[in-house]
């Protein structure tokens, strides 16, 4: 178990996923409905399922390697 400060997004691999998702959504045509946003997010997450090396990269930064072991 690792102690993380109460607010430390730079230490969380999950935040790297969130940043990746936000960047992908920003590159798309404007999303104007909740359903369209959900569909776009699901498409991106499905692409990530097919790219384990990309997911692995979320854990490779020097400050998040603790989570890879």
């Amino acid at each position: 178990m690792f102690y993380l400060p109460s607010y430390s997004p730079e230490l969380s691999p999950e935040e790297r996923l969130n940043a990746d998702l936000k960047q992908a959504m920003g590159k798309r045509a404007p999303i104007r409905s909740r359903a369209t946003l959900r569909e776009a997010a699901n498409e991106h997450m499905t692409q990530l399922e097919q790219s384990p090396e990309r997911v692995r990269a979320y854990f490779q930064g020097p400050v998040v390697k603790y989570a890879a072991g």
Side-chain angles (χ1 to χ4, degrees), residues 10-51:
E10 70 281 357
L11 300 177
S12 174
E14 181 180 319
E15 291 297 331
R16 291 170 177 247
L17 168 63
N18 291 341
D20 185 15
L21 180 61
K22 287 178 187 178
Q23 184 178 24
M25 296 301 99
K27 289 180 179 178
R28 298 177 68 100
I31 296 173
R32 304 200 188 283
S33 73
R34 186 176 287 177
T36 305
L37 175 60
R38 181 181 300 268
E39 181 181 326
N42 285 339
E43 285 176 15
H44 183 72
M45 297 302 282
T46 299
Q47 288 175 353
L48 286 178
E49 273 185 332
Q50 305 304 315
S51 184

